[in-house]
Amino acid sequence: MTTEASQHPLELTNDFAPGESNFIKVDNFKFFYGKKEALHGINLEIPSRKVTAFIGPSGCGKSTLLRNFNRMNELIPGVHHEGDITIHGTSIYDPSVEIIALRRRIGMVFQKSNPFPMSIFENIVYPLRIAGQNTRSVLEETVERCLRSAALWDEVKDRLHDSALGLSGGQMQRLCIARAVASRPEILLMDEPCSALDPIATAKVEELIIELKKDFTIVIVTHNMQQASRVSELTAFFYLGNLVEFDNTRKIFTNPSMKQTEEYITGRFG
Amino acid sequence: MTSTATHSDKNFFSADGKGTSVFRLFRNRFLTGLCVALSLLTLVPLFSIVILVIQNGCPLLSANLFTQLPPAPGMDGGGFGNAILGTLVMVGISLVFSVPLGILAAIFVNEYAPVSWLASAVRFVAKLLTGIPSIICGVFAFAAVVMTTHKFSALAGGIALAILILPTILLTAEQALLGVPYAFREASFGVGATPFQTIWRIVLPEAMPAIMTGVMLAVARAAGETAPVLFTALFSQNWIKGIMEPTASLSVLIYNFASLPYAYHIKLAWSASLVLVALVTLSNILAQVIFAPKHR
């Protein structure tokens, strides 16, 4: 998009193979909030262009791990990590990696939709504007592309310059997805994207996730196990800061290897 | 209680099952009435001031007040255009110093290093400074500016006012920034914005109406204060020629003229009071109109 980004070692667009098995590689990763160890040495390989779900009870560390992929956790004072996370072979903690560029390659959707108090148009082009892109035609083209890929174009195309805060809850969350894909990332992180939505809006976002995996590697944290089984191909079950089991979603939900996984998905705890 | 309720249905909804006593009903009405009466009472001083100022200030009100210089002692006619201009200039100077300083300090304290020792120190000192008597600001500016430049000046008055209002601006700006939801910052960082971009494009515009409310409070305070300008800007019978000259202000004019034995000067002091109140009110309303939130 900008020259600054394309010179960067984490420019992944042209040289990664779809289906690559260790697109995101988590290597003996430990994470600490102050003295409290929230993740105890996680090892995990997430393939590209698939949907991977993180499940587990509250406080199990699934969101913490997700928020390390784009280093959002570093906004919290007093945190540190051990081990490594690599994306397409580049460590995200390599000194040459700029956090700004990393976050441009990795879109994030939050639990509560958080559109800016601006127009729909300005919300989507924000990632471009902060990268110095102000050419009208590029911005307009991006808005249409992103709104179409978030399945929102037909609903809002006549009021692009109205406030984004006038949208419904489900539309706002899809707008946030559109904004997250505006900088053409390879990876989409979703932190419980449907937990504040009604069932109809949830169904729309789930359809969208299945559609988006053609172009993006998606990692989704969810408390809703039906959702994990509906949208994901792979599921990782976390418990008390450990990765208990990581396998095909079908296997996790029908024939899990670990007793803890079975107890959790059958609702015996958590 | 339940047994009472079952054999006495009319008392079912009373708290002790014995029915509401006349005394409790009376006490409730009495206390409600008392609260209403006391609330009305607090309006009395406010309205008496406004009515008094309007009554006494209106008779002399004319365009001359804004365009002419004060009369010599014992003479009639003239106005206080120089004092209005002087007040505007000094409030302006104080804002030039205190607004950037206060807002930038608030940004550092709230956005960049909220848990640092420096942020705690700034917060603590700002809270201490809000309680500082305004005359002390005047004494400080006298020592720091008037003594070193060997001149009473609008600059000295403006600096005294700047010190006075800086803590107000800083603390209200910090509260305004705190009021911006963390989700906005998260969303901005999440798409790769730098802290500067996040603050400049998202946080500040969102906090601006509340920051401006704080600035207008500060303007009202600065325009009305007499003590900090009394022996820094002194007073002048003439139009302001530069910021390094002794300068008239509305507040000092009121103070000086009200104590003179000339009827016309006392009337001028009343009119100046009215103009001061009107200026402050007007700027408050203007700021609220200009900086009202847009995307709601």
Side-chain angles (χ1 to χ4, degrees):
Chain A
M1 182 188 346
T2 58
T3 47
E4 160 207 357
S6 58
Q7 284 159 1
H8 201 272
L10 217 82
E11 177 65 46
L12 310 162
T13 317
N14 300 320
D15 58 348
F16 83 99
E20 190 177 13
S21 66
N22 60 347
F23 188 58
I24 303 174
K25 193 170 172 210
V26 183
D27 188 11
N28 197 22
F29 189 79
K30 294 181 182 172
F31 192 79
F32 304 84
Y33 293 107
K35 289 211 161 49
K36 190 181 166 288
E37 188 172 324
L39 294 173
H40 314 294
I42 305 288
N43 289 292
L44 185 66
E45 292 185 1
I46 296 172
S48 71
R49 305 225 176 164
K50 293 224 160 44
V51 179
T52 303
F54 287 3
I55 61 168
S58 296
C60 69
K62 55 192 189 305
S63 282
T64 301
L65 182 61
L66 186 84
R67 284 162 166 266
N68 269 302
F69 292 159
N70 62 348
R71 295 176 65 176
M72 282 295 276
N73 270 344
E74 288 172 26
L75 298 174
I76 304 163
V79 298
H80 71 279
H81 72 277
E82 288 169 17
D84 201 5
I85 295 173
T86 57
I87 294 178
H88 192 66
T90 306
S91 166
I92 62 168
Y93 295 104
D94 191 278
S96 71
V97 169
E98 288 171 49
I99 295 190
I100 307 306
L102 176 77
R103 293 194 187 133
R104 253 177 234 158
R105 313 314 313 163
I106 304 177
M108 187 155 198
V109 179
F110 297 86
Q111 180 171 3
K112 200 170 169 297
S113 65
N114 50 4
F116 298 124
M118 311 168 171
S119 67
I120 295 168
F121 186 93
E122 286 301 324
N123 260 282
I124 294 170
V125 301
Y126 181 77
L128 277 70
R129 287 211 193 271
I130 58 173
Q133 175 62 267
N134 286 308
T135 314
R136 192 86 208 158
S137 58
V138 177
L139 299 183
E140 281 170 356
E141 181 269 323
T142 303
V143 166
E144 182 166 351
R145 167 177 67 83
C146 295
L147 284 175
R148 282 193 190 283
S149 59
L152 196 57
W153 174 252
D154 292 330
E155 289 164 58
V156 302
K157 65 181 175 205
D158 300 322
R159 48 179 175 137
L160 292 177
H161 297 283
D162 290 1
S163 170
L165 302 182
L167 297 173
S168 73
Q171 286 173 327
M172 278 196 209
Q173 192 60 301
R174 278 181 286 147
L175 177 68
C176 291
I177 294 173
R179 184 179 62 194
V181 301
S183 60
R184 294 185 181 276
E186 281 77 36
I187 299 167
L188 265 186
L189 306 177
M190 300 185 155
D191 192 356
E192 296 180 46
C194 301
S195 63
L197 302 183
D198 66 43
I200 294 167
T202 299
K204 278 192 177 166
V205 172
E206 285 182 7
E207 269 172 48
L208 181 57
I209 292 170
I210 292 166
E211 190 61 31
L212 286 170
K213 77 176 181 195
K214 288 178 198 150
D215 300 313
F216 302 95
T217 303
I218 296 174
V219 187
I220 178 171
V221 164
T222 179
H223 271 128
N224 180 335
M225 279 178 280
Q226 284 76 31
Q227 182 171 66
S229 65
R230 281 193 298 262
V231 302
S232 74
E233 284 128 311
L234 293 149
T235 297
F237 171 62
F238 291 84
Y239 185 58
L240 298 175
N242 290 304
L243 174 63
V244 177
E245 191 169 351
F246 179 48
D247 213 328
N248 286 324
T249 299
R250 187 185 297 257
K251 176 147 191 317
I252 293 268
F253 282 96
T254 53
N255 183 24
S257 312
M258 308 294 287
K259 199 167 179 338
Q260 274 174 322
T261 315
E262 190 187 337
E263 285 177 356
Y264 181 70
I265 60 164
T266 52
R268 254 171 277 172
F269 80 95
Chain B
M1 189 182 123
T2 39
S3 62
T4 324
T6 46
H7 66 71
S8 173
D9 278 344
K10 74 184 167 74
N11 293 333
F12 189 75
F13 291 114
S14 76
D16 56 3
K18 291 181 197 146
T20 308
S21 71
V22 177
F23 172 69
R24 287 207 321 198
L25 210 63
F26 172 75
R27 188 173 59 181
N28 181 38
R29 290 198 179 141
F30 173 74
L31 287 175
T32 309
L34 194 66
C35 288
V36 172
L38 289 177
S39 308
L40 288 174
L41 201 62
T42 58
L43 293 177
V44 171
L46 183 72
F47 275 102
S48 1
I49 290 172
V50 171
I51 290 167
L52 199 69
V53 166
I54 291 177
Q55 264 180 353
N56 290 287
C58 273
L60 272 192
L61 210 57
S62 73
N64 289 347
L65 285 185
F66 300 88
T67 56
Q68 294 187 0
L69 292 171
M75 307 285 280
D76 283 4
F80 42 73
N82 61 336
I84 295 174
L85 191 63
T87 290
L88 293 179
V89 167
M90 282 192 281
V91 169
I93 291 173
S94 73
L95 292 180
V96 165
F97 287 111
S98 58
V99 167
L101 211 60
I103 293 178
L104 290 177
I107 287 174
F108 172 78
V109 162
N110 195 57
E111 304 293 322
Y112 280 97
V115 288
S116 64
W117 67 267
L118 185 56
S120 319
V122 169
R123 273 192 211 104
F124 180 71
V125 169
K127 274 175 197 155
L128 275 186
L129 277 175
T130 48
I132 216 163
S134 57
I135 188 109
I136 307 293
C137 295
V139 172
F140 173 79
F142 179 79
V145 187
V146 177
M147 298 288 273
T148 51
T149 58
H150 307 290
K151 248 183 163 176
F152 294 102
S153 62
L155 182 69
I159 289 176
L161 293 176
I163 297 166
L164 183 77
I165 63 176
L166 178 62
T168 311
I169 292 180
L170 198 162
L171 293 172
T172 50
E174 196 206 349
Q175 285 305 312
L177 294 171
L178 266 178
V180 177
Y182 185 70
F184 289 162
R185 295 179 180 86
E186 216 171 35
S188 179
F189 286 126
V191 295
T194 61
F196 175 79
Q197 288 170 326
T198 303
I199 291 163
W200 188 247
R201 289 169 178 263
I202 305 294
V203 179
L204 262 188
E206 187 63 10
M208 205 35 98
I211 291 176
M212 279 303 135
T213 308
V215 170
M216 288 325 297
L217 275 175
V219 165
R221 173 120 196 254
E225 279 287 347
T226 315
V229 288
L230 192 57
F231 47 96
T232 49
L234 212 64
F235 191 69
S236 162
Q237 291 287 335
N238 298 309
W239 289 100
I240 180 171
K241 288 191 198 72
I243 61 166
M244 291 314 291
E245 300 289 320
T247 304
S249 59
L250 282 172
S251 52
V252 174
L253 180 132
I254 294 165
Y255 173 79
N256 285 347
F257 285 12
S259 49
L260 288 176
Y262 310 110
Y264 191 82
H265 283 76
I266 292 172
K267 280 187 202 156
L268 269 183
W270 277 113
S271 300
S273 312
L274 179 61
V275 170
L276 189 55
V277 171
L279 270 183
V280 168
T281 313
L282 201 71
S283 54
N284 251 318
I285 294 170
L286 266 181
Q288 293 201 11
V289 172
I290 295 168
F291 294 102
K294 290 183 189 78
H295 275 293
R296 287 292 143 192

